[in-house]
Amino acid sequence: MSRRRFAAVLACTLIAPAALAQELDEVIVTATKRDEALHDVPVSLVAITGDTLRDDAIANLHDLALQVPHLSVANGLTTDNVHIRGIGSGNERSFEQSVGLFVDNVYMPRSRQYRYPFLDVERIEVVRGPQSVLFGLNATAGAVAIHTARSYPGDALGAELLAGYESTHGGTAVTGVVGGSLGEIAGLRLAGSLRGGGDGDWTNLETGGNENAAEERLVRASLVLEPAGAVTLDAKIEVADFASDGGVGELFTEAGAYSDGSDVLDWVRGQDASLLPLFPVPKAMGFDGKLVTFSAAVEAEVAAGGTLVGMLGYTDYDWSLYLDLDSGALRIADAGFEEAYRQASAELRYVSPALLSEDRPIRYTLGAWFAGSELGQSGPNLLDGNVFLAGAGFPLPGYDAGQLWARGTFDQDEDMLSAYGMIDWNVTGAVQVRAGVRYVESAKTHRRGTECLIRRTDGTFDEPDGANNPNDALLIGTGFCPTPIDPPQQSRTSDHWLPEVSVQWFPTAPHMLYAKAGKSAKSGGFVAARVVVPGNFEYGDETGTGYELGYKGAFAGGRGSVSVAFFRADYDDLQVNSFDPDTAAAIVGNAAGARTQGVELEARFAASDAVTVGALVGVLDAKYIRFERGPCHPGETRNADGFTCDKSGMRPPNAADATATAYVDVEVPLATGVSLVAGLAVDVSTAYLTNATLDPLAEQDAFTRLIARVGLAGADGDWSVLLVGRNLSEEVVNNYTEAFLGVYRGYLQPPRTIWLQGMLRLGDRSP
């Protein structure tokens, strides 16, 4: 199927779709490296279109996760935490995520890359369960694939403008897209967006104002060239900037919230949001990130109708976070974290002709992939501790009291390579077998070090080196600053064979049953945290073996569709991370084993030309089979080592028993060219724990959230004016909790937001 035909048929979604005709449209996905109908893919997969993202004011993956059962995306202090089916990576900065992220087929392994907003997205595919052959290393829980939109040669010139205003906190958003043909062989598309968070949705008692206002800027240019009928070049470059002011999370104890004295978590805190004068370059409190991504793919038809694809990818990513770590009105502990990441990748893939028939019963995909990356991080470090103590004064001549600043550094180089192959065999007209294997190899080398700086009264900084600074004797060797040494260096390698097999049975045309099994792996590494429980500086590889039985089909003459998947996954050496609540020491290691099993159901039905209803449901049973050296919470009986506790048989964090989204969409013609459009979605979840220590204090109660939209739209899709409300019930939902020196920090999802947005298309309806 051509790319142009692919874009034409991708007109519906499994989540709150736009109004549908009497018969549901076909959904095309590329999770198998081919263009395939969703109902023919033997895997639990949710597909979401760009129109749905726009109409429901879904700005990023954090918003999207609210409406996809078994997907959780939450902010953390130094990482974002992503889970599918209760499996994910904790708040350790060296971890790759257990949920792989791919943007236009470029792998994005750093958790903060999940934070960036959507821009001109064609579709998103969420694949649940361990992935192996087609997604490779580091997808033991699943994968998220984001595909941005393109303009192709032959497309008419078109433009789209989207503008929105959020009435609760004064946020604004503007997105512009223009695209079309440049002559007969080229298609160019330009997209950009500006988003402002207004006053911010957190109240700061120290300053008397609001904070956490996000400022986002994205620009993208893409070019598609077809110089010859059998060759296509697709190139893209994107630059993104993301910033938010203020602190992160809200501290709380068993007695109630720590930072504001209330007895609930409520988007209120008492952090000092003034400038932090402790760093070589004073920074305002908050988060700042920048991302540059480039990709280029050449696709050529070769002998016998097959396709050869060559692809290059590059991503350059930086972020920094500065905050008052104790979250109190007094400046007790200030901290800064920084990360820089660079990755270059290359892939070569051959895809045989897609048609399966009695004359051509075999089709296959062969490929090889390579990536090299550099990771650099820094974080606070004092007395082998985790924070800078601003009140600890060292009255040295010519130096500011209390201006001793130490940070630990973590640098890592990694090379990854893999080769894979997948074969589809049409056994009979009704039975197909898909089998494949991927070999993956990862080599990591890391270095740790410590830097110590002293601030002079004139604002400059000295670094004790034992030679030029007359005050070095008071610092070096006394515990205030470490003696400078060459950073230690360690290396490790990982290699795995990742097999996968599935069997599909098509008893009749609109029905398909399948069985699937596969193995996935995630590479081990070295701990980046500065304070680590003894024996926890290195962690091993994580592996997962998944099994799935499913059904996908249509009913009522194509007006309805349903899919159901029964799944189970067994994990060995699951990578986990937490912090000792009393010492703030990191506890990083491998859980001996975990198991997740359950069922996922998705259904939709066009009740009439005007009304569509649907539901997505997930039921989950997850537990640690054996986890004898797990992290402890206060008051828990500890093992003989004094740091760990037995968590065997317990449920992992972010693993609710049940989650579901039900929706109804309505489109009613009012007059020639005008329709009333409306939608309501209800998102529900049972209770779940939000902290790796499994402390009952960090439990998120069951909740119900409401999302609604209403407005007017042109019948031809050229314009719309919508009022969109998210979390209308204003549920306080804490998706992640981490320990900090006897208290906890909770990371809340946004409160109620109400967006008024307008969209206008000019020229081609799909620029």
Side-chain angles (χ1 to χ4, degrees):
M1 178 179 291
S2 72
R3 292 172 181 264
R4 198 167 301 145
R5 169 62 178 157
F6 176 90
V9 301
L10 189 66
C12 67
T13 177
L14 295 182
I15 299 180
L20 302 174
Q22 189 73 5
E23 184 174 333
L24 294 173
D25 294 326
E26 186 179 33
V27 179
I28 305 298
V29 296
T30 57
T32 61
K33 303 294 185 182
R34 295 178 180 271
D35 298 344
E36 292 188 290
L38 177 64
H39 58 72
D40 289 339
V41 178
V43 68
S44 178
L45 186 152
V46 176
I48 307 97
T49 66
D51 285 347
T52 295
L53 302 178
R54 179 198 64 222
D55 292 345
D56 283 354
I58 298 174
N60 49 48
L61 281 167
H62 295 78
D63 291 344
L64 179 65
L66 307 184
Q67 294 172 255
V68 179
H70 290 164
L71 173 63
S72 170
V73 181
N75 291 334
L77 178 64
T78 57
T79 66
D80 284 25
N81 299 277
V82 189
H83 292 72
I84 287 183
R85 295 175 177 172
I87 299 299
S89 300
N91 200 27
E92 161 55 37
R93 287 179 290 149
S94 67
F95 279 166
E96 289 83 19
Q97 291 295 297
S98 297
V99 179
L101 175 64
F102 299 82
V103 180
D104 291 327
N105 296 308
V106 175
Y107 176 45
M108 304 283 187
R110 307 308 305 163
S111 75
R112 293 299 200 197
Q113 292 171 314
Y114 281 76
R115 176 170 290 200
Y116 280 86
F118 297 143
L119 170 64
D120 194 26
V121 172
E122 182 179 87
R123 72 190 184 280
I124 299 175
E125 300 170 14
V126 180
V127 188
R128 296 177 290 203
Q131 303 302 310
S132 49
V133 177
L134 298 177
F135 288 98
L137 199 64
N138 304 332
T140 51
V144 176
I146 300 174
H147 301 273
T148 59
R150 294 290 186 274
S151 293
Y152 298 94
D155 288 349
L157 179 64
E160 179 177 303
L161 177 65
L162 177 69
Y165 174 76
E166 201 285 307
S167 62
T168 307
H169 304 102
T172 58
V174 178
T175 298
V177 181
V178 60
S181 296
L182 296 177
E184 298 181 354
I185 66 170
L188 177 66
R189 192 179 186 93
L190 304 175
S193 70
L194 294 173
R195 190 179 184 93
D199 296 331
D201 51 20
W202 284 78
T203 300
N204 189 306
L205 297 180
E206 173 70 14
T207 64
N210 285 9
E211 60 184 31
N212 271 44
E215 300 291 336
E216 303 165 356
R217 295 169 290 273
L218 293 89
V219 178
R220 180 189 305 131
S222 62
L223 177 67
V224 178
L225 295 175
E226 294 180 352
V231 178
T232 300
L233 170 65
D234 184 337
K236 178 201 78 172
I237 186 167
E238 180 176 84
V239 179
D241 183 277
F242 178 96
S244 62
D245 66 348
V248 293
E250 181 178 354
L251 295 192
F252 65 98
T253 66
E254 187 173 3
Y258 171 81
S259 61
D260 61 358
S262 67
D263 58 355
V264 294
L265 291 171
D266 54 3
W267 300 284
V268 177
R269 56 187 169 219
Q271 287 177 300
D272 184 348
S274 62
L275 293 179
L276 301 182
L278 310 177
F279 299 91
V281 179
K283 299 275 187 172
M285 184 179 294
F287 178 89
D288 182 78
K290 296 177 176 59
L291 174 68
V292 177
T293 303
F294 169 79
S295 64
V298 177
E299 183 176 309
E301 293 185 10
V302 293
T307 303
L308 187 64
V309 180
M311 182 172 179
L312 298 176
Y314 177 77
T315 180
D316 186 327
Y317 173 53
D318 298 89
W319 68 264
S320 62
L321 172 67
Y322 294 86
L323 75 160
D324 177 18
L325 199 58
D326 66 286
S327 298
L330 298 177
R331 301 288 298 280
I332 299 174
D334 298 330
F337 301 88
E338 296 179 336
E339 178 174 302
Y341 181 75
R342 315 284 182 268
Q343 176 189 275
S345 63
E347 183 174 9
L348 183 64
R349 179 172 70 248
Y350 175 76
V351 181
S352 71
L355 181 64
L356 282 176
S357 63
E358 293 182 359
D359 297 333
R360 184 178 286 171
I362 299 291
R363 68 181 184 187
Y364 58 92
T365 302
L366 300 174
W369 179 83
F370 170 81
S373 66
E374 297 178 353
L375 171 66
Q377 297 177 340
S378 67
N381 182 76
L382 181 65
L383 305 177
D384 285 332
N386 197 46
V387 298
F388 173 83
L389 300 180
F394 301 97
L396 304 176
Y399 292 88
D400 285 344
Q403 300 303 292
L404 173 64
W405 182 79
R407 69 176 182 178
T409 60
F410 178 91
D411 296 286
Q412 178 176 280
D413 299 329
E414 181 180 16
D415 290 326
M416 301 173 62
L417 62 88
S418 63
Y420 60 91
M422 178 74 79
I423 296 177
D424 291 347
W425 175 29
N426 185 34
V427 181
T428 69
V431 178
Q432 295 179 8
V433 175
R434 176 172 293 174
V437 66
R438 187 175 192 126
Y439 173 77
V440 295
E441 185 175 302
S442 167
K444 294 179 178 178
T445 299
H446 101 292
R447 297 161 297 280
R448 294 172 66 93
T450 302
E451 297 177 353
C452 186
L453 300 175
I454 315 163
R455 183 185 174 99
R456 290 180 174 272
T457 53
D458 62 4
T460 61
F461 283 80
D462 277 347
E463 180 174 359
D465 56 13
N468 300 320
N469 190 329
N471 296 299
D472 283 353
L474 299 177
L475 299 169
I476 297 176
T478 65
F480 296 139
C481 290
T483 303
I485 60 174
D486 292 330
Q489 177 172 302
Q490 291 178 284
S491 299
R492 72 182 321 275
T493 60
S494 304
D495 60 270
H496 296 272
W497 290 93
L498 308 179
E500 179 182 308
V501 62
S502 63
V503 179
Q504 297 171 264
W505 177 38
F506 299 85
T508 57
H511 305 285
M512 185 267 286
L513 294 99
Y514 69 91
K516 175 179 176 287
K519 179 183 178 182
S520 186
K522 182 167 175 273
S523 63
F526 303 96
V527 179
R530 303 310 304 169
V531 188
V532 184
V533 169
N536 279 249
F537 282 96
E538 183 177 354
Y539 52 91
D541 295 357
E542 170 182 305
T543 60
T545 303
Y547 310 91
E548 195 166 296
L549 296 173
Y551 163 79
K552 297 183 179 183
F555 60 92
R559 292 190 297 122
S561 68
V562 63
S563 65
V564 59
F566 299 89
F567 63 87
R568 171 171 167 167
D570 296 309
Y571 292 90
D572 292 322
D573 299 320
L574 189 70
Q575 295 171 7
V576 292
N577 160 257
S578 184
F579 291 92
D580 183 89
D582 299 325
T583 65
I587 302 174
V588 184
N590 297 86
R595 176 180 298 159
T596 65
Q597 55 191 6
V599 60
E600 291 159 345
L601 171 69
E602 301 167 10
R604 56 192 176 124
F605 179 62
S608 68
D609 288 342
V611 179
T612 302
V613 296
L616 299 91
V617 180
V619 179
L620 180 66
D621 174 27
K623 67 178 179 180
Y624 293 119
I625 300 301
R626 185 167 61 88
F627 189 14
E628 296 173 347
R629 286 178 50 82
C632 304
H633 60 74
E636 192 172 13
T637 302
R638 304 196 173 204
N639 295 327
D641 60 13
F643 291 101
T644 62
C645 293
D646 191 349
K647 302 293 183 179
S648 301
M650 296 185 182
R651 193 178 189 88
N654 295 89
D657 288 327
T659 54
T661 296
Y663 63 85
V664 58
D665 273 291
V666 178
E667 181 171 341
V668 179
L670 297 178
T672 303
V674 180
S675 296
L676 171 68
V677 294
L680 175 66
V682 181
D683 169 34
V684 299
S685 174
T686 59
Y688 55 88
L689 294 172
T690 62
N691 179 259
T693 67
L694 309 185
D695 190 339
L697 177 63
E699 182 179 65
Q700 168 61 48
D701 295 333
F703 60 84
T704 300
R705 280 179 297 211
L706 299 179
I707 301 169
R709 58 184 168 88
V710 63
L712 300 174
D716 56 4
D718 284 347
W719 65 270
S720 66
V721 178
L722 297 174
L723 191 65
V724 183
R726 300 184 61 81
N727 193 12
L728 291 175
S729 52
E730 195 146 57
E731 292 279 356
V732 179
V733 178
N734 178 19
N735 246 21
Y736 183 72
T737 301
E738 62 189 358
F740 177 76
L741 297 177
V743 294
Y744 279 133
R745 185 189 302 273
Y747 295 85
L748 305 184
Q749 294 179 0
R752 178 190 301 116
T753 58
I754 300 177
W755 283 90
L756 176 63
Q757 61 182 42
M759 183 273 293
L760 177 64
R761 284 176 176 164
L762 301 174
D764 183 14
R765 288 186 56 196
S766 180

